[in-house]
Amino acid sequence: MRYCILSTEKELQFVAMPDSYMYQLVALLHRLHKEIGKLTVSERPAIPEVIAECTELELHAQGANIIQGIDYLADLEGRFASLQEENYPLIALLTEIRALHAQLEYLVEEGEYE
């Protein structure tokens, strides 16, 4: 597993992903940052900044926890799916989120998701 350290306005988030899928998560988050300003809805979902990624992570702060990548992507999909966007082709962003989520679901089904 690899860990992605994300920064939101309020906190740091720690997302665990299978090693070979971390690049896809980071690329997805960068793409969302690039495209979020093009949405015409008044309430845009907050996209955290990617701070770092690492292979080992030991948390010491109380309340800090590791979010599994599959859960993080399900939440991200929910935030984008609930938007009432009419002008920007939101389906393209949702497709990218759902594709990575589906890959992780397949790993779970095959027993390969740690």
Side-chain angles (χ1 to χ4, degrees):
M1 291 294 253
R2 286 190 64 81
Y3 302 92
C4 186
I5 302 170
L6 306 173
S7 175
T8 69
E9 291 181 6
K10 300 175 187 175
E11 64 186 355
L12 291 178
Q13 294 178 321
F14 308 94
V15 179
M17 291 285 285
D19 189 29
S20 59
Y21 292 86
M22 181 58 73
Y23 175 81
Q24 289 178 264
L25 175 64
V26 172
L28 173 64
L29 291 171
H30 285 300
R31 175 152 159 71
L32 293 177
H33 268 285
K34 181 180 171 186
E35 300 296 324
I36 196 83
K38 297 176 184 177
L39 297 177
T40 61
V41 294
S42 58
E43 297 281 328
R44 294 181 181 114
I47 306 299
E49 291 288 332
V50 176
I51 301 298
E53 60 180 271
C54 55
T55 55
E56 293 184 31
L57 182 65
E58 187 173 328
L59 298 175
H60 294 276
Q62 282 189 318
N65 58 11
I66 297 172
I67 305 164
Q68 292 300 311
I70 196 165
D71 297 328
Y72 182 80
L73 288 165
D75 178 65
L76 188 63
E77 178 187 356
R79 289 187 278 149
F80 275 86
S82 68
L83 296 178
Q84 299 299 314
E85 178 64 47
E86 296 178 14
N87 297 317
Y88 181 81
L90 185 62
I91 193 70
L93 298 178
L94 278 169
T95 299
E96 288 185 44
I97 295 168
R98 290 173 177 156
L100 182 52
H101 188 254
Q103 289 175 6
L104 297 182
E105 285 179 329
Y106 176 77
L107 290 180
V108 168
E109 290 174 9
E110 295 296 312
E112 296 178 24
Y113 192 95
E114 298 174 16

